[in-house]
Amino acid sequence: MNRPEATIEEILGLLPDLDDLEVLRLQLVAAAVRDPGKEWDSSSAYTTIDKRIVTPEAAERALDEAEAALHEYVSALHRGLRPFLQSFFADDRDAASRHLIALGENLEGSGRLLGAQKCYRAALTVSLPLVDKGAQILALRRIGRVSVSVGDFKEAVAYYERSADLSRDSGDVPGEVIGRTGIGNVRLWQGRWNEAEACYHEALALADAAGSGAFMLERGQIYNNLGNLTTRQQRLQESEGWFERAFHVWQALTSPVDLAICHHNHAHLREAQERWDEARRGYEAALKLPIPKALRATIATDLAEWWLHEGHVTQAEELGRLAEEQAIAAGSPYTIGYMYQGRGNIARAQGDADGFTFFEKALEIAREKGYPFLEGETLLDYAALRAQNDGYEEAAAYLERAAEIFRELGAAGELERAKRSLAELRSTGELELAGESPIAAAGD
Protein backbone atom coordinates (compact mmCIF):
# COMPACT_ATOMS: atom_id res chain seq x y z
CA MET A 1 0.00 0.00 0.00
CA ASN A 2 1.38 3.41 -0.99
CA ARG A 3 1.86 6.13 1.61
CA PRO A 4 -0.04 9.37 0.85
CA GLU A 5 2.44 11.51 2.79
CA ALA A 6 5.31 11.53 5.27
CA THR A 7 6.57 13.99 7.85
CA ILE A 8 9.71 16.03 7.34
CA GLU A 9 11.12 14.37 10.46
CA GLU A 10 10.75 10.92 8.90
CA ILE A 11 12.24 11.84 5.53
CA LEU A 12 15.19 13.86 6.81
CA GLY A 13 15.94 11.17 9.36
CA LEU A 14 16.41 8.62 6.60
CA LEU A 15 18.33 10.71 4.05
CA PRO A 16 22.10 10.04 3.95
CA ASP A 17 24.03 12.67 5.88
CA LEU A 18 25.78 14.10 2.82
CA ASP A 19 26.67 17.77 2.42
CA ASP A 20 25.55 17.60 -1.21
CA LEU A 21 22.00 16.87 -0.04
CA GLU A 22 21.70 20.05 2.05
CA VAL A 23 19.85 21.79 -0.81
CA LEU A 24 17.40 18.88 -1.02
CA ARG A 25 16.77 19.11 2.72
CA LEU A 26 15.94 22.81 2.40
CA GLN A 27 13.71 22.19 -0.62
CA LEU A 28 11.81 19.48 1.24
CA VAL A 29 11.27 21.79 4.22
CA ALA A 30 10.02 24.50 1.88
CA ALA A 31 7.65 22.02 0.18
CA ALA A 32 6.18 20.72 3.44
CA VAL A 33 2.77 21.87 4.67
CA ARG A 34 0.84 21.64 7.89
CA ASP A 35 -1.09 18.42 8.28
CA PRO A 36 -4.67 19.42 7.34
CA GLY A 37 -6.03 16.49 9.31
CA LYS A 38 -4.62 17.95 12.53
CA GLU A 39 -5.37 21.64 12.05
CA TRP A 40 -8.14 21.52 14.65
CA ASP A 41 -6.09 19.48 17.09
CA SER A 42 -4.99 21.76 19.97
CA SER A 43 -1.51 20.23 19.88
CA SER A 44 -1.03 21.48 16.30
CA ALA A 45 -0.39 24.97 17.69
CA TYR A 46 2.94 23.68 18.99
CA THR A 47 4.18 21.66 16.03
CA THR A 48 7.44 22.65 14.39
CA ILE A 49 8.59 22.05 10.82
CA ASP A 50 9.47 18.44 11.73
CA LYS A 51 5.78 17.53 11.87
CA ARG A 52 4.83 19.13 8.55
CA ILE A 53 3.98 16.68 5.82
CA VAL A 54 5.24 16.12 2.28
CA THR A 55 3.33 14.26 -0.42
CA PRO A 56 5.10 12.02 -2.95
CA GLU A 57 4.40 14.62 -5.66
CA ALA A 58 5.85 17.45 -3.56
CA ALA A 59 8.90 15.34 -2.72
CA GLU A 60 9.47 14.63 -6.42
CA ARG A 61 9.26 18.36 -7.23
CA ALA A 62 11.64 19.13 -4.38
CA LEU A 63 14.09 16.57 -5.73
CA ASP A 64 13.93 18.08 -9.23
CA GLU A 65 14.41 21.61 -7.86
CA ALA A 66 17.27 20.52 -5.60
CA GLU A 67 19.00 18.75 -8.49
CA ALA A 68 18.68 21.82 -10.70
CA ALA A 69 19.89 24.07 -7.87
CA LEU A 70 22.85 21.80 -7.16
CA HIS A 71 23.80 21.74 -10.85
CA GLU A 72 23.59 25.54 -10.91
CA TYR A 73 25.67 25.75 -7.75
CA VAL A 74 28.41 23.52 -9.20
CA SER A 75 28.35 25.50 -12.44
CA ALA A 76 28.49 28.81 -10.57
CA LEU A 77 31.35 27.50 -8.45
CA HIS A 78 33.38 26.60 -11.51
CA ARG A 79 32.39 29.79 -13.35
CA GLY A 80 33.67 31.72 -10.36
CA LEU A 81 36.94 29.81 -10.28
CA ARG A 82 37.64 30.25 -14.00
CA PRO A 83 38.49 33.99 -13.81
CA PHE A 84 40.42 33.34 -10.60
CA LEU A 85 42.69 30.86 -12.38
CA GLN A 86 43.06 33.15 -15.39
CA SER A 87 44.10 36.05 -13.14
CA PHE A 88 46.42 33.83 -11.16
CA PHE A 89 48.27 32.63 -14.27
CA ALA A 90 48.40 36.21 -15.54
CA ASP A 91 50.19 36.99 -12.25
CA ASP A 92 47.45 39.47 -11.27
CA ARG A 93 47.03 38.58 -7.60
CA ASP A 94 44.75 41.53 -6.90
CA ALA A 95 42.22 40.41 -9.52
CA ALA A 96 42.61 36.77 -8.41
CA SER A 97 41.82 37.73 -4.83
CA ARG A 98 38.79 39.78 -5.84
CA HIS A 99 37.42 36.94 -7.94
CA LEU A 100 37.59 34.68 -4.88
CA ILE A 101 35.80 37.36 -2.84
CA ALA A 102 33.09 37.56 -5.52
CA LEU A 103 32.71 33.78 -5.39
CA GLY A 104 32.42 33.95 -1.61
CA GLU A 105 29.73 36.63 -1.88
CA ASN A 106 27.80 34.39 -4.25
CA LEU A 107 27.94 31.54 -1.72
CA GLU A 108 27.09 33.84 1.18
CA GLY A 109 24.05 35.16 -0.68
CA SER A 110 22.73 31.62 -1.08
CA GLY A 111 23.21 30.84 2.63
CA ARG A 112 26.39 28.77 2.27
CA LEU A 113 28.17 30.69 5.00
CA LEU A 114 30.99 28.26 5.77
CA GLY A 115 31.81 27.85 2.08
CA ALA A 116 31.83 31.63 1.71
CA GLN A 117 34.18 31.94 4.66
CA LYS A 118 36.62 29.50 3.04
CA CYS A 119 36.60 31.56 -0.16
CA TYR A 120 37.29 34.76 1.78
CA ARG A 121 40.16 33.12 3.66
CA ALA A 122 41.65 31.95 0.37
CA ALA A 123 41.29 35.48 -1.01
CA LEU A 124 43.08 36.83 2.04
CA THR A 125 45.98 34.43 1.50
CA VAL A 126 46.27 35.44 -2.16
CA SER A 127 46.20 39.16 -1.32
CA LEU A 128 48.74 39.18 1.53
CA PRO A 129 51.88 39.92 -0.60
CA LEU A 130 50.24 42.86 -2.43
CA VAL A 131 51.38 46.44 -1.83
CA ASP A 132 47.86 47.70 -2.54
CA LYS A 133 45.88 46.50 0.48
CA GLY A 134 42.38 47.03 -0.94
CA ALA A 135 41.63 43.35 -1.63
CA GLN A 136 43.10 42.31 1.72
CA ILE A 137 40.96 44.86 3.56
CA LEU A 138 37.83 43.65 1.79
CA ALA A 139 38.62 39.97 2.47
CA LEU A 140 39.14 40.74 6.18
CA ARG A 141 35.78 42.48 6.37
CA ARG A 142 34.03 39.65 4.61
CA ILE A 143 35.44 37.11 7.06
CA GLY A 144 34.26 39.37 9.88
CA ARG A 145 30.77 39.55 8.39
CA VAL A 146 30.39 35.78 8.08
CA SER A 147 31.75 35.33 11.59
CA VAL A 148 28.97 37.60 12.89
CA SER A 149 26.39 35.58 10.96
CA VAL A 150 27.47 32.31 12.59
CA GLY A 151 27.84 33.90 16.05
CA ASP A 152 31.65 33.80 16.37
CA PHE A 153 31.96 37.31 17.79
CA LYS A 154 35.55 37.07 18.98
CA GLU A 155 36.76 36.16 15.50
CA ALA A 156 34.47 38.77 13.95
CA VAL A 157 35.86 41.64 15.98
CA ALA A 158 39.45 40.50 15.37
CA TYR A 159 38.97 40.60 11.58
CA TYR A 160 37.08 43.87 11.59
CA GLU A 161 39.81 45.42 13.74
CA ARG A 162 42.50 44.19 11.34
CA SER A 163 40.56 45.63 8.40
CA ALA A 164 40.03 48.99 10.10
CA ASP A 165 43.67 49.32 11.19
CA LEU A 166 44.94 48.34 7.75
CA SER A 167 42.54 50.84 6.16
CA ARG A 168 43.84 53.57 8.43
CA ASP A 169 47.46 52.75 7.63
CA SER A 170 46.66 52.68 3.90
CA GLY A 171 44.71 55.94 3.88
CA ASP A 172 41.53 54.08 2.89
CA VAL A 173 38.89 56.22 4.64
CA PRO A 174 35.81 54.36 3.29
CA GLY A 175 37.34 51.07 4.40
CA GLU A 176 38.04 52.43 7.87
CA VAL A 177 34.51 53.86 8.23
CA ILE A 178 32.96 50.50 7.34
CA GLY A 179 35.46 48.53 9.44
CA ARG A 180 34.90 50.60 12.58
CA THR A 181 31.14 50.38 12.08
CA GLY A 182 31.54 46.60 11.83
CA ILE A 183 33.43 46.52 15.14
CA GLY A 184 30.63 48.57 16.69
CA ASN A 185 28.03 46.11 15.43
CA VAL A 186 29.87 43.16 16.97
CA ARG A 187 30.21 45.01 20.29
CA LEU A 188 26.47 45.77 20.14
CA TRP A 189 25.71 42.06 19.69
CA GLN A 190 28.02 41.31 22.60
CA GLY A 191 26.24 43.80 24.84
CA ARG A 192 29.43 45.85 25.23
CA TRP A 193 27.53 49.04 24.62
CA ASN A 194 30.09 51.65 25.63
CA GLU A 195 32.65 50.13 23.26
CA ALA A 196 30.04 49.91 20.50
CA GLU A 197 29.19 53.57 20.92
CA ALA A 198 32.84 54.59 20.80
CA CYS A 199 33.30 52.67 17.54
CA TYR A 200 30.24 54.25 15.95
CA HIS A 201 31.40 57.74 16.90
CA GLU A 202 34.88 57.05 15.52
CA ALA A 203 33.34 55.96 12.22
CA LEU A 204 31.00 58.95 12.19
CA ALA A 205 33.84 61.39 12.85
CA LEU A 206 35.74 59.97 9.87
CA ALA A 207 32.65 60.33 7.66
CA ASP A 208 32.00 63.89 8.88
CA ALA A 209 35.59 64.88 8.15
CA ALA A 210 35.08 63.92 4.50
CA GLY A 211 32.35 66.55 4.03
CA SER A 212 28.58 66.79 4.42
CA GLY A 213 27.79 64.99 1.16
CA ALA A 214 30.14 62.04 1.67
CA PHE A 215 29.34 58.60 3.08
CA MET A 216 25.57 59.20 3.23
CA LEU A 217 24.73 55.47 3.20
CA GLU A 218 27.28 54.74 5.93
CA ARG A 219 26.06 57.72 7.98
CA GLY A 220 22.47 56.51 7.78
CA GLN A 221 23.47 53.06 8.97
CA ILE A 222 25.46 54.52 11.86
CA TYR A 223 22.47 56.70 12.81
CA ASN A 224 20.28 53.57 12.79
CA ASN A 225 22.73 51.81 15.08
CA LEU A 226 23.19 54.72 17.47
CA GLY A 227 19.42 55.06 17.74
CA ASN A 228 19.18 51.38 18.59
CA LEU A 229 22.06 51.56 21.06
CA THR A 230 20.82 54.63 22.95
CA THR A 231 17.34 53.08 23.19
CA ARG A 232 18.88 50.07 24.92
CA GLN A 233 20.70 52.41 27.29
CA GLN A 234 17.42 54.20 28.07
CA ARG A 235 18.81 57.47 26.68
CA LEU A 236 15.51 57.94 24.90
CA GLN A 237 15.67 61.64 24.04
CA GLU A 238 19.08 61.14 22.47
CA SER A 239 17.78 58.12 20.59
CA GLU A 240 14.99 60.26 19.16
CA GLY A 241 17.59 62.57 17.62
CA TRP A 242 19.54 59.74 15.99
CA PHE A 243 16.41 58.28 14.41
CA GLU A 244 15.40 61.72 13.14
CA ARG A 245 18.75 61.92 11.34
CA ALA A 246 18.41 58.37 10.04
CA PHE A 247 14.94 58.93 8.58
CA HIS A 248 16.23 62.09 6.90
CA VAL A 249 18.90 60.01 5.14
CA TRP A 250 16.45 57.30 4.05
CA GLN A 251 14.19 59.97 2.54
CA ALA A 252 17.08 60.91 0.26
CA LEU A 253 18.52 57.43 -0.38
CA THR A 254 16.62 54.36 -1.54
CA SER A 255 17.60 51.46 0.71
CA PRO A 256 14.59 49.35 1.74
CA VAL A 257 16.58 47.10 4.08
CA ASP A 258 18.13 50.01 5.96
CA LEU A 259 14.78 51.82 6.13
CA ALA A 260 13.12 48.66 7.47
CA ILE A 261 15.83 48.30 10.12
CA CYS A 262 15.27 51.95 11.02
CA HIS A 263 11.51 51.46 11.40
CA HIS A 264 12.08 48.27 13.40
CA ASN A 265 14.53 49.82 15.84
CA HIS A 266 12.41 52.99 16.06
CA ALA A 267 9.49 50.78 17.09
CA HIS A 268 11.63 49.50 19.97
CA LEU A 269 12.15 53.13 21.02
CA ARG A 270 8.41 53.77 20.93
CA GLU A 271 7.84 50.71 23.12
CA ALA A 272 10.41 52.00 25.61
CA GLN A 273 8.48 55.30 25.63
CA GLU A 274 5.23 53.35 26.07
CA ARG A 275 3.91 54.86 22.84
CA TRP A 276 2.50 51.51 21.84
CA ASP A 277 0.31 52.49 18.88
CA GLU A 278 3.26 54.25 17.23
CA ALA A 279 5.42 51.18 17.84
CA ARG A 280 2.91 49.00 15.99
CA ARG A 281 2.88 51.43 13.06
CA GLY A 282 6.67 51.23 12.95
CA TYR A 283 6.66 47.43 12.74
CA GLU A 284 3.93 47.49 10.10
CA ALA A 285 5.80 50.11 8.03
CA ALA A 286 8.89 47.88 8.07
CA LEU A 287 6.89 44.84 6.95
CA LYS A 288 5.42 46.75 3.98
CA LEU A 289 8.88 47.27 2.47
CA PRO A 290 10.50 44.90 -0.07
CA ILE A 291 12.94 43.20 2.30
CA PRO A 292 14.53 39.75 2.59
CA LYS A 293 12.36 37.05 4.12
CA ALA A 294 14.81 36.53 6.99
CA LEU A 295 14.46 40.16 8.11
CA ARG A 296 10.70 39.97 7.63
CA ALA A 297 10.59 36.94 9.95
CA THR A 298 12.50 38.82 12.66
CA ILE A 299 10.24 41.87 12.48
CA ALA A 300 7.09 39.72 12.46
CA THR A 301 8.32 37.97 15.60
CA ASP A 302 8.67 41.30 17.43
CA LEU A 303 5.27 42.49 16.19
CA ALA A 304 3.77 39.24 17.52
CA GLU A 305 5.14 40.10 20.95
CA TRP A 306 3.60 43.59 20.60
CA TRP A 307 0.19 41.97 20.12
CA LEU A 308 0.78 39.84 23.20
CA HIS A 309 1.49 42.98 25.22
CA GLU A 310 -1.87 44.31 24.07
CA GLY A 311 -3.56 41.08 25.14
CA HIS A 312 -4.48 39.93 21.62
CA VAL A 313 -3.38 36.31 21.58
CA THR A 314 -4.96 35.44 18.22
CA GLN A 315 -3.08 38.20 16.40
CA ALA A 316 0.16 37.23 18.15
CA GLU A 317 -0.23 33.63 17.00
CA GLU A 318 -1.00 34.79 13.44
CA LEU A 319 2.18 36.88 13.37
CA GLY A 320 4.12 33.99 14.86
CA ARG A 321 2.93 31.78 12.01
CA LEU A 322 3.78 34.47 9.45
CA ALA A 323 7.28 34.61 10.94
CA GLU A 324 7.50 30.83 10.64
CA GLU A 325 6.46 30.84 6.95
CA GLN A 326 8.91 33.63 6.12
CA ALA A 327 11.78 31.97 8.00
CA ILE A 328 11.19 28.65 6.23
CA ALA A 329 10.95 30.40 2.85
CA ALA A 330 14.22 32.20 3.56
CA GLY A 331 15.94 28.81 3.83
CA SER A 332 18.21 30.06 6.60
CA PRO A 333 18.67 27.69 9.55
CA TYR A 334 19.67 30.62 11.79
CA THR A 335 16.49 32.52 10.96
CA ILE A 336 14.36 29.42 11.58
CA GLY A 337 16.03 28.91 14.94
CA TYR A 338 15.56 32.56 15.94
CA MET A 339 11.90 32.39 14.86
CA TYR A 340 11.25 29.33 17.02
CA GLN A 341 12.88 31.06 19.96
CA GLY A 342 10.37 33.87 19.37
CA ARG A 343 7.44 31.46 19.14
CA GLY A 344 8.59 29.88 22.39
CA ASN A 345 8.41 33.31 24.01
CA ILE A 346 4.86 33.78 22.73
CA ALA A 347 3.89 30.45 24.28
CA ARG A 348 5.63 31.40 27.53
CA ALA A 349 3.75 34.70 27.69
CA GLN A 350 0.50 32.74 27.32
CA GLY A 351 1.52 30.41 30.13
CA ASP A 352 1.53 27.40 27.79
CA ALA A 353 3.97 24.73 28.97
CA ASP A 354 3.72 22.97 25.58
CA GLY A 355 5.69 25.84 24.09
CA PHE A 356 8.81 23.93 25.13
CA THR A 357 8.72 22.27 21.68
CA PHE A 358 9.64 25.58 20.06
CA PHE A 359 12.59 26.14 22.40
CA GLU A 360 13.77 22.57 21.87
CA LYS A 361 13.73 23.03 18.10
CA ALA A 362 15.64 26.32 18.36
CA LEU A 363 18.26 24.60 20.52
CA GLU A 364 18.53 21.67 18.12
CA ILE A 365 19.21 24.02 15.19
CA ALA A 366 21.65 26.16 17.18
CA ARG A 367 23.68 23.14 18.28
CA GLU A 368 23.60 21.32 14.97
CA LYS A 369 24.62 24.37 12.93
CA GLY A 370 27.03 25.85 15.47
CA TYR A 371 25.22 29.06 16.48
CA PRO A 372 26.37 29.55 20.08
CA PHE A 373 24.79 32.98 20.59
CA LEU A 374 21.39 31.67 19.50
CA GLU A 375 21.82 28.70 21.82
CA GLY A 376 22.62 30.96 24.76
CA GLU A 377 19.69 33.31 24.12
CA THR A 378 17.29 30.38 23.70
CA LEU A 379 18.46 28.83 26.97
CA LEU A 380 17.85 32.15 28.73
CA ASP A 381 14.25 32.31 27.53
CA TYR A 382 13.65 28.56 27.94
CA ALA A 383 14.72 28.85 31.58
CA ALA A 384 11.90 31.33 32.19
CA LEU A 385 9.36 28.84 30.79
CA ARG A 386 10.74 26.04 32.98
CA ALA A 387 10.69 28.23 36.09
CA GLN A 388 7.13 29.26 35.27
CA ASN A 389 6.17 25.58 35.40
CA ASP A 390 8.06 24.72 38.61
CA GLY A 391 11.07 23.26 36.84
CA TYR A 392 13.54 25.23 38.97
CA GLU A 393 16.47 22.82 38.74
CA GLU A 394 16.21 22.64 34.95
CA ALA A 395 15.87 26.42 34.73
CA ALA A 396 19.00 26.91 36.83
CA ALA A 397 20.93 24.44 34.66
CA TYR A 398 19.86 26.28 31.50
CA LEU A 399 20.95 29.62 32.95
CA GLU A 400 24.30 28.23 34.06
CA ARG A 401 24.93 26.86 30.56
CA ALA A 402 23.83 30.14 28.98
CA ALA A 403 26.24 32.05 31.21
CA GLU A 404 29.04 29.67 30.22
CA ILE A 405 28.32 30.25 26.51
CA PHE A 406 28.17 34.04 26.86
CA ARG A 407 31.39 34.03 28.88
CA GLU A 408 33.13 32.09 26.09
CA LEU A 409 31.76 34.49 23.44
CA GLY A 410 32.68 37.60 25.39
CA ALA A 411 29.02 38.72 25.32
CA ALA A 412 29.15 40.81 28.49
CA GLY A 413 25.60 42.15 28.37
CA GLU A 414 23.99 38.74 27.91
CA LEU A 415 26.30 37.22 30.53
CA GLU A 416 25.06 39.82 33.01
CA ARG A 417 21.45 38.95 32.07
CA ALA A 418 22.09 35.26 32.70
CA LYS A 419 23.78 35.91 36.07
CA ARG A 420 21.01 38.26 37.17
CA SER A 421 18.32 35.78 36.18
CA LEU A 422 20.11 32.95 38.00
CA ALA A 423 20.37 35.04 41.18
CA GLU A 424 16.69 35.95 40.84
CA LEU A 425 15.67 32.32 40.40
CA ARG A 426 17.67 31.18 43.43
CA SER A 427 16.31 33.92 45.68
CA THR A 428 12.63 33.93 44.67
CA GLY A 429 12.06 30.86 42.49
CA GLU A 430 10.83 33.16 39.72
CA LEU A 431 12.33 35.06 36.84
CA GLU A 432 11.09 37.29 34.07
CA LEU A 433 13.07 37.92 30.91
CA ALA A 434 12.67 40.62 28.31
CA GLY A 435 14.64 41.79 25.33
CA GLU A 436 14.92 41.57 21.60
CA SER A 437 17.68 40.87 19.20
CA PRO A 438 19.65 43.91 18.07
CA ILE A 439 19.64 44.52 14.35
CA ALA A 440 22.66 46.42 13.09
CA ALA A 441 23.92 47.16 9.60
CA ALA A 442 27.45 47.92 8.44
CA GLY A 443 27.05 48.57 4.73
CA ASP A 444 29.07 45.55 3.63
Side-chain angles (χ1 to χ4, degrees):
M1 181 171 133
N2 294 332
R3 294 186 57 168
E5 77 267 330
T7 65
I8 281 292
E9 185 176 40
E10 288 178 289
I11 297 174
L12 297 190
L14 296 174
L15 280 178
D17 187 18
L18 300 172
D19 290 342
D20 290 341
L21 295 182
E22 182 65 20
V23 176
L24 176 58
R25 294 186 189 95
L26 293 174
Q27 291 289 349
L28 286 167
V29 168
V33 297
R34 296 180 183 279
D35 187 343
K38 297 181 179 178
E39 275 298 293
W40 300 105
D41 186 338
S42 61
S43 65
S44 70
Y46 301 101
T47 57
T48 60
I49 52 175
D50 300 325
K51 304 304 180 185
R52 291 187 171 212
I53 61 170
V54 179
T55 64
E57 296 77 17
E60 190 69 29
R61 286 196 301 272
L63 189 60
D64 289 341
E65 290 166 3
E67 182 181 7
L70 193 57
H71 281 303
E72 175 52 32
Y73 162 68
V74 173
S75 296
L77 194 62
H78 289 79
R79 281 199 304 271
L81 287 172
R82 198 175 308 280
F84 158 72
L85 287 172
Q86 290 169 350
S87 298
F88 174 76
F89 283 110
D91 202 25
D92 187 346
R93 295 181 76 96
D94 183 80
S97 178
R98 291 182 185 276
H99 285 308
L100 286 172
I101 291 171
L103 179 58
E105 289 170 339
N106 190 311
L107 297 180
E108 187 180 357
S110 65
R112 299 173 184 273
L113 298 181
L114 298 182
Q117 190 177 61
K118 290 174 182 177
C119 288
Y120 296 148
R121 290 186 186 280
L124 179 61
T125 300
V126 172
S127 68
L128 286 175
L130 295 171
V131 175
D132 183 338
K133 299 301 180 184
Q136 184 178 340
I137 290 167
L138 184 56
L140 288 167
R141 286 208 311 268
R142 290 293 183 266
I143 297 171
R145 187 168 72 183
V146 172
S147 297
V148 170
S149 297
V150 300
D152 192 343
F153 300 132
K154 287 183 178 179
E155 179 164 286
V157 81
Y159 279 96
Y160 272 124
E161 283 178 341
R162 283 177 62 188
S163 78
D165 291 345
L166 192 56
S167 296
R168 180 197 59 213
D169 296 342
S170 304
D172 178 1
V173 178
E176 187 174 5
V177 169
I178 296 169
R180 301 226 175 270
T181 302
I183 299 169
N185 291 342
V186 181
R187 294 308 190 199
L188 178 62
W189 276 100
Q190 290 179 308
R192 296 166 68 167
W193 293 341
N194 290 337
E195 293 176 51
E197 184 173 14
C199 291
Y200 290 145
H201 280 293
E202 287 173 8
L204 194 55
L206 288 165
D208 288 341
S212 59
F215 300 110
M216 290 306 296
L217 176 65
E218 290 79 8
R219 288 171 195 263
Q221 291 166 343
I222 295 169
Y223 297 154
N224 277 1
N225 297 341
L226 282 168
N228 182 18
L229 179 64
T230 49
T231 296
R232 291 171 178 280
Q233 294 175 312
Q234 291 297 305
R235 292 153 52 188
L236 304 185
Q237 191 59 43
E238 190 176 343
S239 180
E240 196 80 63
W242 289 119
F243 282 122
E244 185 178 336
R245 293 190 194 186
F247 280 120
H248 182 74
V249 171
W250 308 131
Q251 286 173 359
L253 291 181
T254 301
S255 181
V257 169
D258 289 307
L259 177 57
I261 289 171
C262 189
H263 278 304
H264 184 215
N265 289 337
H266 192 243
H268 293 164
L269 169 63
R270 291 295 183 243
E271 287 184 343
Q273 296 168 326
E274 299 190 353
R275 295 161 66 174
W276 295 95
D277 287 344
E278 293 176 57
R280 175 180 56 80
R281 289 197 289 272
Y283 290 131
E284 290 174 346
L287 288 174
K288 288 177 183 176
L289 292 164
I291 55 177
K293 293 179 175 64
L295 178 56
R296 192 176 298 280
T298 300
I299 296 169
T301 296
D302 282 357
L303 181 54
E305 294 199 23
W306 182 94
W307 282 110
L308 273 181
H309 174 270
E310 294 297 297
H312 296 286
V313 176
T314 301
Q315 287 90 335
E317 289 178 341
E318 287 176 0
L319 264 296
R321 289 197 174 198
L322 170 65
E324 183 175 29
E325 298 303 326
Q326 292 294 304
I328 290 171
S332 164
Y334 188 96
T335 302
I336 293 171
Y338 176 77
M339 173 274 300
Y340 278 130
Q341 179 198 352
R343 293 204 66 188
N345 286 333
I346 293 172
R348 174 170 59 84
Q350 294 174 249
D352 292 333
D354 288 342
F356 80 91
T357 58
F358 295 133
F359 287 128
E360 288 289 349
K361 187 60 182 175
L363 285 176
E364 177 190 323
I365 291 170
R367 289 164 178 164
E368 179 184 325
K369 299 297 181 182
Y371 302 142
F373 190 79
L374 177 62
E375 180 183 353
E377 281 205 317
T378 301
L379 285 168
L380 264 179
D381 292 343
Y382 196 180
L385 178 68
R386 286 302 192 197
Q388 196 170 281
N389 293 281
D390 300 328
Y392 304 119
E393 290 185 8
E394 275 184 302
Y398 293 163
L399 291 172
E400 287 169 354
R401 175 57 186 149
E404 183 181 334
I405 290 170
F406 294 134
R407 189 177 294 108
E408 291 171 357
L409 291 175
E414 297 303 316
L415 174 60
E416 185 57 35
R417 259 184 84 196
K419 287 180 175 178
R420 187 169 59 247
S421 296
L422 189 56
E424 214 172 83
L425 179 67
R426 285 171 173 164
S427 62
T428 67
E430 299 178 355
L431 64 105
E432 183 62 39
L433 299 174
E436 60 282 317
S437 178
I439 294 184
D444 78 349

